[in-house]
Amino acid sequence: MSFATTSLARRCALHAAKRSSVKAAAVAPSAWRSALLLANETNINRQAQPNRNTTIRYFSDSGSHSDFAPQRKPVKDDDDEAVKMIEQHVKEHDVMLYMKGSPNMPMCGFSARVVQVLKSTGVDFSSVNVLDYPSIREGVKQYSDWPTIPQLYVKGEFVGGCDIVESMYESGELKEMVQEFVKEEEK
C-alpha cells in the first residue's frame, strides 16, 4: 500500500467522521478499510482515464529509429526456398549460428551457452533467429540432418549443437577451427 493511498484513505475516513459528527480519533478500523477501498477505487479510475498530456507508449514501440531495427527478409513457407536461403547464409558467412533469439538476447539456454562460447573465443559470427522464421527453423534441421537448435556452421560445414560446441571449446578444437575468423582487436 503506497503512502498516497494511505493518505487518501485517512482523508476519506476523517471526512466521513466529520460528516457523521464522530470524533476523528474514534474512527473504527472498519471505517479505515472502507475508506481504503474507496481510495483504491478512486486511484484505479484515475489510472483508467489518462489526461490529455499523458503519452501512452506501447511495448512494441522502442522509441528507436527504424534504421536500427533488425533487418528481416520475407521467407516463403516453401521448404526448398528456406533450404536455399540457409545454404546461401552458410556459404556467405564464415561462422554462422542458427539460434533461438539473438546474440544479445538469447531465448534459450542452449543458444545462450553457444553464444557465450563463441564470444569467449573472440570470433566474429553471424546469426539467424529461427523463432522469427518457422520455415528456416524446420529447414535448418533438414539441411544438417540434426534435430536440435542451436546449430553452428564454420566454413560452410556443420559443426554441431550446444554439447558438441562446448566439448570442442573445452578441448581447444573450436579455437583452432575459428582462429582465422577472430576479430582483429582480439588478436
Side-chain angles (χ1 to χ4, degrees), residues 7-8 47 101 107 129 133:
S7 175
L8 185 58
Q47 291 170 357
M107 303 297 278
N129 181 0
Y133 306 105

Side-chain angles (χ1 to χ4, degrees), residues 13-167:
L14 291 174
H15 182 67
K18 285 180 186 176
R19 291 176 87 197
S20 65
S21 70
V22 177
K23 291 188 178 181
V27 175
S30 61
W32 281 89
R33 278 191 221 106
S34 60
L36 185 58
L37 290 172
L38 176 67
N40 283 335
E41 232 175 79
T42 306
N43 282 342
I44 290 169
N45 288 337
R46 282 189 198 149
Q47 291 170 357
Q49 300 171 352
N51 64 23
R52 291 180 211 158
N53 297 331
T54 303
T55 303
I56 298 174
R57 286 186 71 179
Y58 298 98
F59 288 111
S60 62
D61 179 20
S62 66
S64 180
H65 193 272
S66 62
D67 287 347
F68 300 107
Q71 301 298 316
R72 295 190 172 117
K73 294 180 183 176
V75 178
K76 298 175 187 171
D77 286 337
D78 185 19
D79 288 339
D80 292 335
E81 184 71 26
V83 171
K84 286 178 187 175
M85 186 175 281
I86 292 164
E87 190 172 354
Q88 180 184 358
H89 289 163
V90 170
K91 286 180 181 177
E92 288 179 2
H93 303 283
D94 293 322
V95 182
M96 185 73 203
L97 176 64
Y98 289 91
M99 63 180 290
K100 294 178 182 176
S102 68
N104 293 334
M105 186 174 286
M107 303 297 278
C108 159
F110 298 112
S111 294
R113 287 167 36 195
V114 172
V115 167
Q116 184 180 19
V117 164
L118 290 174
K119 285 184 177 180
S120 68
T121 61
V123 69
D124 190 21
F125 65 95
S126 300
S127 66
V128 171
N129 181 0
V130 297
L131 298 177
D132 287 342
Y133 306 105
S135 59
I136 288 183
R137 183 178 187 171
E138 293 307 312
V140 76
K141 293 175 185 179
Q142 292 174 2
Y143 183 77
S144 64
D145 197 25
W146 191 260
T148 60
I149 293 172
Q151 293 185 10
L152 179 66
Y153 294 83
V154 177
K155 297 182 198 172
E157 291 189 33
F158 176 64
V159 175
C162 180
D163 293 338
I164 294 172
V165 170
E166 282 185 330
S167 67

